[in-house]
Amino acid sequence: MSAGTIVLVGTAVFAVGCATGGTGLRDGGPARTDTVARTAPSGSSSADGSSASASPSGTPLKKVDPVRLIMADPKVGADVKRDLKPCTGKEYPVDVSYGKVTGGPVADIVVNVLSCADALGRGTYVYRADGAKYENVFADEQPPVYAEIDRGDLVVTKQVYGKSDALAYPSGEDVITYRWDGERFTEQDRVHSEYSNVVDGGVQPAPATSQKN
C-alpha cells in the first residue's frame, strides 16, 4: 500500500463538533454551515462496520468513520493526530461531507478536523475512493481552515489575522475555489475580504476582491 493510500476501516461515522457554528463574519475561524450529526447514520451496515444509505440520486452511499480515516493517514500531521481526541464522551471535533468533487463514480469524503474549545479548523482533507481504499488527494493544515463541496468544486475558507488581531476578530478572509483536473486540485478562484470595525462594535466586510486563474 502506498503512503498516500489508506485502507478503509469503517465503523459508523461519528461526525461531531463540540461547539456551534459561527455567529457572524468575524467569528474565530470559518463558520460551519450545517448542524453536525451526533448519532450514527441510518442504513444497512456492511461486514466491515461501515454503513450504507441512499444518496439523492438513488445510488448507495458508503459512509466511513472519519476519525479512523484521519488516524490511519500518513499524510496527516502528527500534531493533528495527537490533538484529535473526544471533546465529551465519544464526540470528536470532526465534520464530514460526502459528495462528488473529483468526478469519480463514488462519493468523495471531505473531513474537517476542529478544535474542541472554539471549533477552529485545524485541518481539512479530501479522500477519493480507489476500490475498497481511500486516497488522500488534498490536505490543508494551516489553521484556521474549513472546506466544503459547492456544486462539484472544493471551496476552502481561511481567516486572515494580523499581528494584533484577537482570535474572534480576524483582519479578513480568503475563500479559495479548487477544481479537480483529473489528477489533482488546482486553484480556480480566490476571493479576499478585508474586515473593518464599525462604531457600535459590530463588524462588516470591506468590498471583496476576486482573483481568477
Side-chain angles (χ1 to χ4, degrees):
M1 182 173 65
S2 67
T5 304
I6 302 94
V7 176
L8 187 157
V9 182
T11 57
V13 59
F14 288 94
V16 299
C18 299
T20 58
T23 57
L25 290 171
R26 293 289 293 273
D27 266 359
R32 293 152 53 189
T33 58
D34 298 316
T35 301
V36 182
R38 293 183 178 274
T39 58
S42 59
S44 58
S45 295
S46 61
D48 66 1
S50 60
S51 64
S53 59
S55 69
S57 63
T59 57
L61 177 64
K62 189 173 184 180
K63 296 187 177 182
V64 303
D65 183 339
V67 174
R68 292 196 178 192
L69 198 61
I70 290 293
M71 297 303 288
D73 185 355
K75 290 185 177 181
V76 175
D79 56 337
V80 174
K81 291 182 179 181
R82 182 185 62 246
D83 296 337
L84 182 53
K85 300 175 182 178
C87 299
T88 57
K90 295 182 179 180
E91 296 183 355
Y92 283 84
V94 174
D95 286 354
V96 59
S97 300
Y98 299 85
K100 297 293 186 68
V101 72
T102 69
V106 179
D108 304 299
I109 304 173
V110 176
V111 180
N112 288 287
V113 178
L114 313 173
S115 60
C116 284
D118 43 32
L120 286 178
R122 295 288 312 280
T124 187
Y125 312 90
V126 179
Y127 293 93
R128 188 173 193 264
D130 181 13
K133 299 174 289 187
Y134 279 94
E135 179 185 5
N136 182 330
V137 293
F138 181 89
D140 189 329
E141 294 181 335
Q142 296 296 320
V145 60
Y146 197 91
E148 298 174 286
I149 299 172
D150 183 7
R151 291 169 290 184
D153 290 333
L154 180 68
V155 179
V156 177
T157 302
K158 300 175 71 72
Q159 302 286 13
V160 178
Y161 288 89
K163 291 182 178 180
S164 60
D165 288 344
L167 183 63
Y169 296 97
S171 294
E173 178 182 80
D174 287 329
V175 179
I176 310 165
T177 300
Y178 294 94
R179 189 166 297 161
W180 183 254
D181 68 2
E183 297 182 354
R184 61 189 178 89
F185 285 101
T186 59
E187 184 176 325
Q188 299 296 310
D189 184 67
R190 180 183 293 254
V191 176
H192 175 73
S193 298
E194 293 183 352
Y195 299 146
S196 59
N197 293 323
V198 293
V199 176
D200 63 2
V203 294
Q204 60 185 14
T209 58
S210 177
Q211 299 175 352
K212 293 186 178 181
N213 291 341

